[in-house]
């Protein structure tokens, strides 16, 4: 299992959730387009999450007897922005990527740092600590200059 998948599965398990997640890595131009389209911000960001729970209800579409989808949604990450944020924060890009993935996954699970009272930020830090081995397994992103 690759390190990104292993971390994603561990986050879902730690939150006692199951379901499919798509994780896409895209460039800055594509991220700026998505961020502009969905958030009205015409610049790239590190991560966007698209919850299936927020999408149009297609539960009646499909074959008779087919089980309801357990897809949780998509997490879209821009590694170039993650690398830039890591440099700004003075951390290695592998750890920043781990935080970014955890952040995006928690959004899929319904957490919202813009409306809660710090619960999401606290959970992010707890998961970074609980999943240290998996966090450290993420590779330093290409272009890192700190050598970690």
């Amino acid at each position: 299992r690759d390190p990104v998948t292993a971390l994603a599965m561990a986050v879902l398990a730690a939150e006692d959730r199951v379901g499919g997640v798509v994780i896409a890595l895209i460039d800055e131009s594509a991220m700026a387009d998505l961020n502009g389209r969905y958030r009205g911000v015409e610049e790239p960001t590190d991560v966007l999450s698209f919850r299936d729970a927020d999408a149009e209800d297609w539960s009646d579409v499909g074959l008779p007897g087919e089980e309801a989808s357990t897809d949780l949604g998509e997490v879209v990450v821009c590694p170039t922005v993650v690398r830039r944020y890591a440099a700004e924060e003075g951390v290695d890009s592998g750890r920043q990527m781990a935080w970014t993935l955890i952040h995006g996954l928690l959004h899929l699970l319904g957490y919202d740092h813009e409306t809660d009272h710090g619960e999401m930020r606290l959970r992010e830090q707890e998961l970074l600590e609980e999943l240290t081995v998996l966090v450290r397994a993420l590779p330093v992103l290409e272009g890192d200059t700190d050598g970690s």
Side-chain angles (χ1 to χ4, degrees), residues 6-58:
L7 180 62
M9 291 177 68
V11 168
L12 294 180
E15 293 297 303
D16 199 26
R17 297 291 297 273
V18 294
V21 174
V22 173
I23 297 174
L25 305 178
I26 63 174
D27 65 25
E28 282 188 89
S29 175
M31 182 59 94
D33 181 52
L34 287 174
N35 204 22
R37 187 177 322 151
Y38 293 101
R39 295 182 58 230
V41 180
E42 300 294 331
E43 62 185 37
T45 188
D46 57 345
V47 62
L48 291 172
S49 297
F50 299 96
R51 294 179 64 209
D52 276 7
D54 294 337
E56 185 174 342
D57 183 9
W58 292 89

Side-chain angles (χ1 to χ4, degrees), residues 72-146:
L72 298 172
E74 300 178 30
V75 175
V76 182
V77 176
C78 181
T80 305
V81 175
V82 171
R83 188 172 49 246
R84 186 165 47 247
Y85 288 1
E88 290 170 6
E89 296 293 323
V91 298
D92 76 71
S93 62
R95 181 171 177 83
Q96 187 70 29
M97 177 61 88
W99 177 86
T100 301
L101 290 167
I102 290 168
H103 183 85
L105 290 163
L106 289 179
H107 272 304
L108 291 186
L109 301 178
Y111 285 83
D112 188 348
H113 56 88
E114 294 181 9
T115 60
D116 71 14
H117 296 96
E119 294 89 352
M120 182 174 178
R121 297 294 188 201
L122 177 62
R123 189 62 181 138
E124 290 165 351
Q125 294 307 311
E126 290 171 348
L127 288 167
L128 280 170
E129 294 304 315
E130 289 173 24
L131 305 174
T132 297
V133 171
L134 296 172
V135 168
R136 289 185 180 154
L138 286 175
V140 171
L141 298 174
E142 191 175 304
D144 247 3
T145 57
D146 67 0

